[in-house]
Amino acid sequence: MNKNNIHVVKEKFALALENHQNNNLIVAKNLYNKILKINPNYIDAINNLGLVFQGLGELQKAINCYEKAIKIDPNYIHSQFNLGNTLNSLKEYQKSISCYERAIEIDPNFKDAINNLGVAFKELGEYQKSISCYERAIEIDPN
């Protein structure tokens, strides 16, 4: 990627992020897609496009984005976590547990992943595991 493209991608990403944060999801989606035409492996854009699709209720497209990001970098914690959240919302708790566990393996103090792991365990009726997760999350961040 040449220097001009790097500058264009950075500008478009900042604009996409701003629109995303302001809930202008269609504009953000279009910008993330433009970025990915220039740099198809821009992992932050792929992950954020997944979040946009999730916000639009297009969960399979969100899953595809997260899986693509994970394929590029298996240690990309945000896509591991977001994939877990999407699978959790689809009531695919066993699959979401694997994602949360992988995120926690990457960062053992990732309290949101630990908390959501507890939610998934609770939904499966594994209450002791759920309680352990909640206690661990509180231990990391009492607030």
Side-chain angles (χ1 to χ4, degrees), residues 22-50:
N22 290 325
N23 210 33
N24 298 322
L25 299 182
I26 300 300
V27 174
K29 178 178 89 167
N30 292 335
L31 288 164
Y32 289 131
N33 278 320
K34 286 179 183 177
I35 292 166
L36 294 172
K37 280 186 170 66
I38 299 168
N39 181 356
N41 292 325
Y42 190 174
I43 200 163
D44 290 326
I46 296 166
N47 179 72
N48 288 6
L49 183 58

Side-chain angles (χ1 to χ4, degrees), residues 63-126:
I63 288 169
N64 294 343
C65 288
Y66 302 139
E67 288 176 341
K68 180 179 179 183
I70 291 166
K71 188 174 183 182
I72 293 168
D73 180 0
N75 292 322
Y76 189 71
I77 196 166
H78 303 292
S79 287
Q80 293 284 357
F81 178 70
N82 293 332
L83 179 57
N85 290 342
T86 305
L87 293 168
N88 214 23
S89 69
L90 291 169
K91 300 183 190 294
E92 294 186 35
Y93 302 116
Q94 211 54 59
K95 289 180 183 178
S96 71
I97 286 170
S98 296
C99 295
Y100 295 137
E101 287 176 337
R102 178 68 184 120
I104 295 163
E105 185 179 305
I106 296 164
D107 178 359
N109 293 318
F110 189 0
K111 69 174 173 50
D112 292 335
I114 295 166
N115 181 73
N116 290 9
L117 179 62
V119 171
F121 280 134
K122 179 185 72 114
E123 293 297 333
L124 291 174
E126 296 185 41

Side-chain angles (χ1 to χ4, degrees), residues 8-26:
V8 168
V9 165
K10 283 184 178 182
E11 280 185 0
K12 285 193 186 302
F13 188 79
L15 190 56
L17 200 54
E18 181 182 328
N19 277 280
H20 191 172
Q21 290 168 339
N22 290 325
N23 210 33
N24 298 322
L25 299 182
I26 300 300

